[in-house]
Amino acid sequence: LYLLTFIVAFSPRPLLPFWLVEKVFPYVSFAAIVLISMGPDNFILQIILNLVCFYLIAQMCHNRLAKDRPPAESLTEFYFFMSLGGVIGGALTALAAPLIFNDVYEYQLVIAIGGLVAIGAMPKGKQLWRDVLLGLAALAILTAYVMNASQLPDFVRNVALLSFAVAMVAGVHLFRSSPVRLFIILLATAILTVNIQGIFLAKGERIIYSDRIFFGVSKVIYNNTDNGPVHIFQHGNTKHNVQLRTQEALDYPLAYYSPEGSFGQAVDAVRAQKRDMSVAVVGLGAGAMACHVRENESWKFYEIDPLVIEMARTQELFTYVNNCAPNSPIVTGDARLTLQQEPAAKFDLIMIDAFSSDAIPAHLVTKEALELYRSKLKQGGYIFFHTSNRNLDVSSVVLNVAEVSGLASRFISSKPDETIRYHEQVSASNAILVGDDEASLNALLRDYPDWEVKKGSNLVGVWRDDFSHIIGALLANAFEDRK
């Protein structure tokens, strides 16, 4: 799409009229900013709308670039500064933004800045200052509301939010030809949407920790529940782990990691077969898997995000690691690289649980990755994949890779019920266990009937280091029958 905007902008007869792009942009950008706050339930709509918005911003900017291009003798300077702008923009996004912001604010900010490129005359003199001062006053009022909204009565909060929403919709239409005013409206919308989670936190909830580095945004949310206070680990837009903060429940793994769920069943099954087993866990999270460690077992954790490691070891946030496995090593770095340094035939069980928001990094579920894991397993060892995902059929990715590698696999869709301890804080999960052959898996899971043979979707294909089919995984998740 980015390259297409250059082709359109510099064509003698553009396929898309410049005026149409600039007329449509205010409405699409407003919708894109708002949709970000609606969450991944609208995932396909988000993809489409955000790509359209991206195209329109890039097209507007490149239209202006083409319109203002210099004569041929100055093209070298023109291309130099165009490239320099790209380098500066990339550096701001990849390097500066994670240092400046503790959440992904720059995305909405860039969409709002697109308003300054929109069609219309830039105000000058007194009019410019009047627009800026009015905008600052409006943003100050909005910021005050955002900071105190969770403390307001529900009716007052919702009426104020509705009033802001109506004002912004009207403002986008009225000021669509006024760059500064359009920018202010879009910026106000961005401020509201990036704080929407804080505005609608349930009573008793509050964000007690939020930070960000290159690998994403990590938050810890405090909440009061019927079972007592809990800390919730959220990475990106996905809640990955929970810890009850009552004394009797501190060492009880919850969320996906409960003893009754897929993780607990896999660990117990291998433990019954492998005495004093050695385990590698790829993905630390809040450290709940540390409380599955037993005496005389050797466990090693691998985590790419140093911020997550720091959070898991901070006693005020989570105590799983410090209480249950303080001496188990945690290796920082990409698991494909750090596991390569381990000796062959070291582990009885390798567990892959490397989330990035709601996605598993593709390079950890390829055929080559599976070959690496197998080389680090002892004879008769097993590989566990956590494949829960709202948007992608990761289960089919793993099932297809295992099948083409000549391995046996079993799938489970684990759902908590009221018989499970602290079931309100236990999450449903999908997982796959991979072994050498059918006989060994049948013997391993004899006492666990919920693990079943499952066929991967043909839409997904077989992922390799040089091939992954994200669209296929998205379509398989959306349209094919799955547990």
Side-chain angles (χ1 to χ4, degrees):
L1 288 176
Y2 179 76
L3 295 176
L4 180 62
T5 61
F6 275 108
I7 296 171
V8 172
F10 287 90
S11 295
R13 295 181 180 178
L15 299 174
L16 204 59
F18 289 2
W19 63 266
L20 179 60
V21 173
E22 294 176 330
K23 288 287 187 183
V24 171
F25 166 75
Y27 305 103
V28 174
S29 59
F30 177 79
I33 291 175
V34 170
L35 193 64
I36 292 170
S37 68
M38 295 176 65
D41 290 341
N42 305 279
F43 188 65
I44 294 178
L45 181 60
Q46 279 200 31
I47 290 176
I48 295 171
L49 191 56
N50 281 280
L51 286 178
V52 170
C53 185
F54 165 77
Y55 173 82
L56 290 174
I57 292 179
Q59 191 67 70
M60 279 198 312
C61 292
H62 292 155
N63 287 350
R64 294 294 178 91
L65 202 62
K67 183 180 179 182
D68 297 337
R69 65 185 182 273
E73 58 267 21
S74 301
L75 283 182
T76 301
E77 180 183 3
F78 174 72
Y79 288 127
F80 170 77
F81 281 108
M82 187 172 68
S83 301
L84 180 62
V87 171
I88 294 172
L92 288 173
T93 300
L95 303 177
L99 297 175
I100 297 171
F101 303 125
N102 67 355
D103 209 326
V104 186
Y105 300 133
E106 71 275 9
Y107 183 62
Q108 296 93 323
L109 181 61
V110 167
I111 296 177
I113 290 173
L116 295 174
V117 191
I119 191 171
M122 186 69 72
K124 298 179 181 179
K126 291 182 179 179
Q127 182 62 47
L128 175 60
W129 284 109
R130 191 179 297 120
D131 285 355
V132 171
L133 290 174
L134 284 173
L136 289 175
L139 293 176
I141 294 171
L142 179 62
T143 302
Y145 166 75
V146 165
M147 293 177 66
N148 297 283
S150 60
Q151 278 75 48
L152 294 173
D154 290 348
F155 176 76
V156 175
R157 179 190 64 192
N158 293 335
V159 167
L161 184 62
L162 180 62
S163 301
F164 282 128
V166 171
M168 289 169 186
V169 171
V172 168
H173 181 71
L174 293 173
F175 303 139
R176 63 190 183 279
S177 297
S178 175
V180 172
R181 293 185 183 185
L182 180 59
F183 164 68
I184 291 169
I185 290 293
L186 293 177
L187 182 60
T189 306
I191 290 174
L192 202 59
T193 57
V194 298
N195 288 281
I196 205 76
Q197 181 187 23
I199 291 173
F200 284 101
L201 283 175
K203 281 184 170 56
E205 280 193 348
R206 66 180 187 273
I207 298 173
I208 59 174
Y209 171 84
S210 180
D211 209 347
R212 171 191 179 187
I213 60 173
F214 175 81
F215 299 107
V217 179
S218 296
K219 296 179 182 178
V220 179
I221 300 171
Y222 172 92
N223 190 19
N224 264 321
T225 70
D226 292 339
N227 293 319
V230 299
H231 286 183
I232 304 166
F233 168 45
Q234 178 172 309
H235 192 265
N237 56 24
T238 302
K239 294 177 180 179
H240 287 305
N241 216 328
V242 174
Q243 184 179 34
L244 270 168
R245 301 295 288 182
T246 58
Q247 194 61 40
E248 66 275 8
L250 279 177
D251 298 344
Y252 195 85
L254 297 168
Y256 303 116
Y257 310 100
S258 70
E260 299 85 359
S262 58
F263 281 82
Q265 289 184 31
V267 169
D268 287 344
V270 177
R271 177 178 287 133
Q273 193 178 88
K274 310 281 186 180
R275 187 177 180 182
D276 300 338
M277 65 178 179
S278 176
V279 182
V281 180
V282 175
L284 177 66
M289 286 305 297
C291 289
H292 285 276
V293 179
R294 297 292 179 266
E295 190 177 357
N296 297 324
E297 294 179 351
S298 172
W299 288 58
K300 197 169 188 177
F301 296 87
Y302 299 81
E303 174 59 55
I304 195 172
D305 191 340
L307 196 65
V308 169
I309 297 175
E310 180 183 346
M311 178 202 68
R313 282 179 160 163
T314 300
Q315 197 78 0
E316 293 76 20
L317 300 177
F318 294 100
T319 63
Y320 285 131
V321 173
N322 294 341
N323 287 3
C324 298
N327 298 319
S328 292
I330 301 174
V331 180
T332 306
D334 184 277
R336 280 285 296 269
L337 302 177
T338 52
L339 272 173
Q340 282 179 351
Q341 301 171 18
E342 299 290 354
K346 178 177 180 178
F347 301 107
D348 295 296
L349 174 64
I350 296 176
M351 310 190 78
I352 309 299
D353 181 36
F355 284 96
S356 175
S357 189
D358 198 34
I360 294 178
H363 72 296
L364 295 181
V365 288
T366 63
K367 186 175 184 295
E368 291 82 357
L370 186 58
E371 291 171 357
L372 170 66
Y373 306 148
R374 290 182 70 191
S375 71
K376 305 304 176 183
L377 285 178
K378 296 177 184 178
Q379 182 68 31
Y382 300 93
I383 308 166
F384 173 95
F385 291 89
H386 183 197
T387 59
S388 302
N389 198 290
R390 288 174 296 196
N391 305 311
L392 303 175
D393 184 0
V394 182
S395 296
S396 286
V397 176
V398 175
L399 291 168
N400 289 351
V401 166
E403 182 180 8
V404 80
S405 301
L407 301 175
S409 61
R410 292 291 184 274
F411 169 85
I412 187 173
S413 182
S414 172
K415 296 179 175 64
D417 57 46
E418 294 185 359
T419 63
I420 295 176
R421 189 181 180 191
Y422 308 124
H423 63 89
E424 298 91 344
Q425 275 73 52
V426 174
S427 307
S429 66
N430 292 344
I432 292 168
L433 195 60
V434 177
D436 287 335
D437 51 57
E438 299 289 340
S440 63
L441 277 180
N442 287 338
L444 181 78
L445 299 172
R446 183 181 298 110
D447 298 327
Y448 301 92
D450 292 336
W451 293 81
E452 62 179 358
V453 176
K454 185 175 174 67
K455 180 77 173 175
S457 169
N458 292 328
L459 292 173
V460 173
V462 177
W463 287 22
R464 299 176 181 271
D465 284 349
D466 58 357
F467 171 82
S468 60
H469 193 3
I470 299 296
I471 300 300
L474 181 64
L475 293 175
N477 184 76
F479 301 118
E480 292 205 345
D481 183 34
R482 58 193 173 84
K483 285 198 173 185

